[in-house]
Amino acid sequence: MGASKLSQMIWNRRSELLVVALMNVIYAFSYFQRVAVPGTIYNELQSAFAASAASVALLGGIYLYVYGGMQIFSGVLVDRFGPVRVIVVGGVLLGVGSILFPLSNTILQLYVTRALVGLGASLMYLSVVKELDISFNNRHFSALLSSSLFAGYAGGLMGTMPFEGAVRAFGWRPSLLAVGVACLAAVILAAAFTWNILTKKISRSRASVFPAVRRILSNRTSYSVILCSTVVFGNFFLMQAIIGKKLLEDCCGLNSGAAASYTFLLMLVSMSASVFSGFFSKMIGNRRRPVIIAASFLAVLAPCAGLLILKASPVWILPCYLLFGLSSGGTPIFSSTIKEMNDSGYAASAVGVGNAAAYLSIAIYATLSGIVLDKFTAQAVRVEGAIHYPPQAYAAIFTGLLVLSVLAFIGSFYIKETYGKNIWVPKAK
């Protein structure tokens, strides 16, 4: 009976699902860019531009500062102009930036084009969230968001081992250029299929930056969720897209291909956990709190396993990556909970505020990780232009992640249960 109802829902909403599918394809390209640069080609960029660890890490930082800083504005833009319009504009910016990045010849040009990529990517996720909010009710929201995240993470998955293989075969510049061209083609195709939506008259919306942000920030109910989301996803993202592959090359004796295979596995586990968490939450009566507590606990165990890699044995690589991947599975539940704790009229803006906190924190993570690595340059070894940092450098980073994870785990017990319903109550005047 359940499968029959699901099939009927899919058939009745096939046009809405097609729009979401097209949006997911563009979102996947944005996620590829998060993972591939600088994580997969960290050493290649460091060697090609004779750059320090801080300079290469800043490539990830710039993307994240722009992405995080734009989240509040992106949410308002999506609430006001509609998700399809916003994601198409963002897709054009993403595609152009993705093409210009591999054509850059100086580190400054890399920074500028990376900022353009971050600007385009910042409009993706909230557009998907808003489209799902408009087209489907809360009962299906977390499960459908999990599916969209799976599609986005699939793009990130391509940024690991498959991209590393392409880089070895063709070089990092031609490989990134091909991805940029494919991204722009996908945006043009999506625009053609949704032309009737793009040309429809824009209805007036109450969404604007300052009232939306003021109302969301005045709602302290969602603070604990934002803290947990920021730390859990931040820790995962640092391993996935910034230092994970390089750590395995520097400290565990793995070559580039083997290290990329572990990042591939990390993404695969994250994708599976994200899909599972959304459907699991639905199975237990749309309860959010148990999933958030579990994700926060796994986030505590992950850096512990990371420290064991460095101080005991590389045999802990697999448990470490599994724990980081599993903890990130709470992402759709974090977004759903933040949405359900705030005014429904500001759905994208509410998730945008949570995303802004997460990505700005991740940008700081990325910047600080580069600074920490550079502090150990005296003990590092240079091989063919790339710098291999000692285990002590990564141990310092994992210790910081562990402290933050413990705070987030404690905070997870202060989160209110929503049961998949909007629990926002306006303050009495």
Side-chain angles (χ1 to χ4, degrees), residues 62 68 133 138 179 217 292 305 324 345 365 386:
I62 285 174
D133 186 58
N138 278 340
V179 171
L217 291 181
I292 293 173
F324 273 111
Y365 274 31

mmCIF file of all heavy atoms in Angstrom, residues 62 68 133 138 179 217 292 305 324 345 365 386:
data_model
loop_
_atom_site.group_PDB
_atom_site.id
_atom_site.type_symbol
_atom_site.label_atom_id
_atom_site.label_comp_id
_atom_site.label_asym_id
_atom_site.label_seq_id
_atom_site.Cartn_x
_atom_site.Cartn_y
_atom_site.Cartn_z
ATOM 1 N N ILE A 62 38.043 30.776 0.061
ATOM 2 C CA ILE A 62 37.360 31.821 -0.726
ATOM 3 C C ILE A 62 36.003 31.320 -1.191
ATOM 4 O O ILE A 62 34.988 32.025 -1.088
ATOM 5 C CB ILE A 62 38.229 32.240 -1.925
ATOM 6 C CG1 ILE A 62 39.376 33.122 -1.447
ATOM 7 C CG2 ILE A 62 37.410 32.975 -2.978
ATOM 8 C CD1 ILE A 62 40.372 33.489 -2.516
ATOM 9 N N GLY A 68 29.149 30.952 2.022
ATOM 10 C CA GLY A 68 28.509 31.165 3.317
ATOM 11 C C GLY A 68 27.929 32.556 3.462
ATOM 12 O O GLY A 68 26.801 32.727 3.943
ATOM 13 N N ASP A 133 9.777 22.551 -0.928
ATOM 14 C CA ASP A 133 8.824 23.120 0.028
ATOM 15 C C ASP A 133 7.546 23.572 -0.667
ATOM 16 O O ASP A 133 6.445 23.409 -0.140
ATOM 17 C CB ASP A 133 9.480 24.288 0.760
ATOM 18 C CG ASP A 133 8.596 24.835 1.873
ATOM 19 O OD1 ASP A 133 8.230 24.058 2.775
ATOM 20 O OD2 ASP A 133 8.264 26.040 1.831
ATOM 21 N N ASN A 138 5.118 18.654 4.086
ATOM 22 C CA ASN A 138 6.143 18.315 5.071
ATOM 23 C C ASN A 138 6.316 16.808 5.269
ATOM 24 O O ASN A 138 7.388 16.336 5.641
ATOM 25 C CB ASN A 138 5.807 18.962 6.429
ATOM 26 C CG ASN A 138 6.243 20.406 6.485
ATOM 27 O OD1 ASN A 138 7.096 20.833 5.712
ATOM 28 N ND2 ASN A 138 5.648 21.170 7.388
ATOM 29 N N VAL A 179 34.571 19.850 -17.353
ATOM 30 C CA VAL A 179 33.479 19.888 -16.378
ATOM 31 C C VAL A 179 32.735 21.223 -16.467
ATOM 32 O O VAL A 179 31.500 21.269 -16.406
ATOM 33 C CB VAL A 179 34.019 19.673 -14.947
ATOM 34 C CG1 VAL A 179 32.923 19.925 -13.908
ATOM 35 C CG2 VAL A 179 34.569 18.259 -14.788
ATOM 36 N N LEU A 217 16.891 35.197 13.429
ATOM 37 C CA LEU A 217 17.888 35.276 14.494
ATOM 38 C C LEU A 217 17.260 35.507 15.866
ATOM 39 O O LEU A 217 17.860 35.179 16.893
ATOM 40 C CB LEU A 217 18.893 36.385 14.192
ATOM 41 C CG LEU A 217 19.835 36.136 13.007
ATOM 42 C CD1 LEU A 217 20.798 37.295 12.832
ATOM 43 C CD2 LEU A 217 20.609 34.831 13.187
ATOM 44 N N ILE A 292 19.651 13.652 14.996
ATOM 45 C CA ILE A 292 20.632 14.711 15.262
ATOM 46 C C ILE A 292 21.589 14.306 16.376
ATOM 47 O O ILE A 292 22.802 14.529 16.286
ATOM 48 C CB ILE A 292 19.905 16.030 15.597
ATOM 49 C CG1 ILE A 292 19.151 16.553 14.366
ATOM 50 C CG2 ILE A 292 20.895 17.076 16.106
ATOM 51 C CD1 ILE A 292 18.277 17.754 14.634
ATOM 52 N N ALA A 305 39.079 8.639 15.925
ATOM 53 C CA ALA A 305 39.667 7.669 14.990
ATOM 54 C C ALA A 305 40.768 8.311 14.169
ATOM 55 O O ALA A 305 41.771 7.673 13.832
ATOM 56 C CB ALA A 305 38.577 7.103 14.078
ATOM 57 N N PHE A 324 33.190 9.789 9.775
ATOM 58 C CA PHE A 324 32.955 11.123 9.218
ATOM 59 C C PHE A 324 31.799 11.095 8.220
ATOM 60 O O PHE A 324 30.940 11.983 8.208
ATOM 61 C CB PHE A 324 34.221 11.656 8.532
ATOM 62 C CG PHE A 324 35.169 12.381 9.446
ATOM 63 C CD1 PHE A 324 36.402 11.835 9.768
ATOM 64 C CD2 PHE A 324 34.831 13.616 9.984
ATOM 65 C CE1 PHE A 324 37.277 12.502 10.615
ATOM 66 C CE2 PHE A 324 35.698 14.287 10.825
ATOM 67 C CZ PHE A 324 36.931 13.734 11.140
ATOM 68 N N GLY A 345 6.892 31.187 5.944
ATOM 69 C CA GLY A 345 7.053 32.139 4.847
ATOM 70 C C GLY A 345 8.498 32.450 4.534
ATOM 71 O O GLY A 345 8.822 33.012 3.491
ATOM 72 N N TYR A 365 37.620 27.091 9.196
ATOM 73 C CA TYR A 365 38.301 25.787 9.340
ATOM 74 C C TYR A 365 39.406 25.663 8.290
ATOM 75 O O TYR A 365 40.533 25.280 8.588
ATOM 76 C CB TYR A 365 37.305 24.644 9.078
ATOM 77 C CG TYR A 365 36.465 24.166 10.220
ATOM 78 C CD1 TYR A 365 36.055 25.007 11.235
ATOM 79 C CD2 TYR A 365 36.036 22.849 10.270
ATOM 80 C CE1 TYR A 365 35.255 24.544 12.256
ATOM 81 C CE2 TYR A 365 35.227 22.373 11.278
ATOM 82 C CZ TYR A 365 34.830 23.234 12.275
ATOM 83 O OH TYR A 365 34.029 22.776 13.283
ATOM 84 N N ALA A 386 55.657 19.459 -4.133
ATOM 85 C CA ALA A 386 54.599 19.354 -3.116
ATOM 86 C C ALA A 386 55.234 19.201 -1.744
ATOM 87 O O ALA A 386 56.302 18.601 -1.598
ATOM 88 C CB ALA A 386 53.690 18.167 -3.409
#
